[in-house]
Amino acid sequence: MSVALFTLGGTISMAGSRRLTGDDLTAAMPGLDGLGHEVAIQDIEKIPSANLTAAKVLEVVDAASKAVAAGAAGAVVTQGTDTLEESAFLADLVWPHSQPLVFTGAMRNPTLAGPDGPANLLAALRVASSPAARDLGALVVFKEEIHAARWVRKTHSTSTATFESPNAGPIGHVVEDRVRVLTRPFRLDGVQGSAEPAELDTIRVALYTVTLDDDGLLLQGLADTHQGLVVAAYGVGHVPAALAPVLGELATRMPVVLTSRTGAGSVVRNTYHSPGSETDLLQRGLIDGGFLDPYKARVLLRLLVATDDDVAAGFAQYV
């Protein structure tokens, strides 16, 4: 039985002006002979993760799905870390298999002292081939930690320990050659409808971060150009009072999701009641984003709009 490996570029494959292939990556990885599975490599496209699109991610997920349906024990995707948390969450929303789909990458490229790519890739392959990782959906493996895609975030611009799950912590670890899953979060329903990659590319969902003295001027005309909005609000879901009616009016024309810009924790529902509070905004028609951070909320909203799924029901799973 094989493990499917799909390479998408990023720091893990940067060697000066040369871009490493999957064969290069596995050749540089001590311990691969102990994996117990053949690695079936598909080099997709060597592009920085900043240039990735949701459509491209869905194409890779589809290829991984076909590999698993053909008998692969699991699949691994390597890509740049800048958008890895969004790619993994998008994949988790549509991944239908019990076999794991694992995302990994690197913070130090192979030309630097102590490159982390080989260790991350070996750990990811071990997780992807492990029966212990089945029925967990899409995962992110970094620094021998296993993270659920719906919780993980990139938290540091340069540290090799950048990936954390602030609200939950890692769900497991790779210890020597053993995959140790310590807690098993239940699988959510994901997105019920289906969207072709080209269809998703036509859906525009804005992300708006609220800041001090925010007057909402940048939101003017948004409903004419976009099909949805995610608001990264203060704290537990607050905005300046003057911004509340602007968001309420937008919520009559498109789905508007309320999240927190803090990076951890949930928005609340009924603690504060002043104009611009979470209670006020939800009464104006904004949708509770729960524990989802703004970036993941945008991924989910875009997919729900593209598939004509019930947006409120889709987000209710994360509240």
Side-chain angles (χ1 to χ4, degrees), residues 5 64 66 83 99 119 122 132 142 151 178 189 191 201 213-214 236-237 268 273 309:
L5 171 61
K66 290 175 179 175
T83 57
Q99 292 92 333
L122 181 58
F142 238 80
W151 292 323
R178 296 179 63 194
D189 291 337
V191 175
D201 269 351
D213 282 344
D214 201 325
V236 294
V268 297
H273 301 272
D309 277 23

Side-chain angles (χ1 to χ4, degrees), residues 20 35 45 115 202 205 238 282 294 309:
L20 302 180
L35 182 65
E45 191 170 357
T202 67
V205 170
H238 298 165
L282 295 174
D309 277 23

Side-chain angles (χ1 to χ4, degrees), residues 203-228:
I203 303 300
R204 303 181 70 184
V205 170
L207 171 57
Y208 185 79
T209 301
V210 179
T211 55
L212 187 67
D213 282 344
D214 201 325
D215 59 8
L217 183 63
L218 294 175
L219 294 172
Q220 289 185 5
L222 187 73
D224 298 324
T225 58
H226 290 68
Q227 290 79 48

Side-chain angles (χ1 to χ4, degrees), residues 1-315:
M1 186 176 291
S2 65
V3 180
L5 171 61
F6 301 87
T7 68
L8 269 173
T11 297
I12 193 171
S13 64
M14 291 173 55
S17 60
R18 182 171 173 242
R19 296 296 179 264
L20 302 180
T21 66
D23 286 330
D24 295 325
L25 294 176
T26 54
M29 190 169 53
L32 182 61
D33 54 350
L35 182 65
H37 295 272
E38 176 188 352
V39 180
I41 299 168
Q42 293 189 43
D43 293 313
I44 304 298
E45 191 170 357
K46 297 295 183 288
I47 55 175
S49 63
N51 291 337
L52 277 179
T53 64
K56 176 59 69 176
V57 172
L58 289 181
E59 289 177 8
V60 175
V61 172
D62 182 62
S65 180
K66 290 175 179 175
V68 165
V76 173
V77 178
T78 61
Q79 69 159 81
T81 59
D82 285 347
T83 57
L84 190 149
E85 64 193 271
E86 293 165 90
S87 297
F89 184 58
L90 174 58
D92 191 54
L93 292 172
V94 300
W95 185 247
H97 304 285
S98 62
Q99 292 92 333
L101 174 59
V102 182
F103 285 74
T104 194
M107 294 296 290
R108 292 181 183 150
N109 72 60
T111 70
L112 301 176
D116 55 329
N120 288 340
L121 181 53
L122 181 58
L125 289 167
R126 283 177 170 153
V127 172
S129 62
S130 172
R134 292 174 71 94
D135 298 310
L136 294 174
L139 303 166
V140 171
V141 172
F142 238 80
K143 293 286 287 184
E144 282 78 46
E145 293 182 341
I146 307 167
H147 294 267
R150 70 178 184 261
W151 292 323
V152 72
R153 296 194 65 178
K154 184 176 181 178
T155 64
H156 196 284
S157 62
T158 60
S159 172
T160 57
T162 182
F163 284 99
E164 300 178 8
S165 296
N167 289 315
I171 64 171
H173 302 265
V174 179
V175 182
E176 295 177 325
D177 60 351
R178 296 179 63 194
V179 174
R180 308 287 296 277
V181 176
L182 304 181
T183 185
R184 303 189 66 86
F186 59 87
R187 290 294 306 274
L188 300 180
D189 291 337
V191 175
Q192 301 306 303
S194 60
E196 294 297 323
E199 294 174 337
L200 193 58
D201 269 351
T202 67
I203 303 300
R204 303 181 70 184
V205 170
L207 171 57
Y208 185 79
T209 301
V210 179
T211 55
L212 187 67
D213 282 344
D214 201 325
D215 59 8
L217 183 63
L218 294 175
L219 294 172
Q220 289 185 5
L222 187 73
D224 298 324
T225 58
H226 290 68
Q227 290 79 48
L229 170 66
V230 173
V231 179
Y234 302 139
V236 294
H238 298 165
V239 304
L243 191 54
V246 177
L247 295 174
E249 194 278 330
L250 283 171
T252 66
R253 304 180 62 187
M254 63 167 66
V256 179
V257 178
L258 181 65
T259 66
S260 173
R261 70 177 196 175
T262 59
S266 174
V267 296
V268 297
R269 297 182 177 187
N270 197 34
T271 300
Y272 301 93
H273 301 272
S274 59
S277 68
E278 80 287 348
T279 304
D280 177 45
L281 294 172
L282 295 174
Q283 289 175 347
R284 292 176 187 270
L286 275 69
I287 297 167
D288 185 350
F291 275 95
L292 283 181
D293 63 63
Y295 312 113
K296 291 189 177 66
R298 181 180 178 273
V299 170
L300 176 57
L301 179 55
R302 194 176 178 201
L303 194 57
L304 290 169
V305 171
T307 56
D308 291 322
D309 277 23
D310 186 317
V311 173
F315 276 90

